[in-house]
Amino acid sequence: MTLRIEEVPVDDPRAVSLRSLLDAELQSRYGPLVAGEPAEITAARDAALAVHPGDVVATLLALDDSDGGDGGEALGHVMLRRLREEWELKRLIVPPEGRRRGIGRALTDAVLQRARAGGARRVILQTGAPQPESVRLYAAAGFTPIPVYEPYVATMSESLCFERML
């Protein structure tokens, strides 16, 4: 496999499809933990997790470039967004069939390079204990724990948050 990282529009159909896979996976992991909660809490959490296209600095896809053409199967996705004065890594997904092949690390490295090129001094991110493989990936990429930050404090106080100084 030859991997190529490509910046695409936020509404690229491949990116949209991978984010839908991520939504389904997160629902399977977190849904049982929040089942039965009041609707207003669910709505507040959904609002905190929402990524508005105007805040997205970059959407990156990992593509299988084995054929050397312009296409290539989308193997993973990540976004970089501005969150007030911060730069935040969002929506990293590598579908199960692509895991343990270095794709997540390549996407993480690419988003860090993109943030650095944009003038970022650090990149932050939010995840949770039901995603242990994500926590391992971020630690291996040099991210260190930080306190839970807004907009996650009120509805996801048990989040695991990290930073990577650039």
Side-chain angles (χ1 to χ4, degrees), residues 50-58 80-84 86 88:
V51 177
H52 303 286
D55 296 334
V56 175
V57 175
L80 178 65
R81 80 162 171 177
R82 290 302 303 252
L83 180 63
R84 295 174 297 281
E86 298 286 357
E88 186 181 36

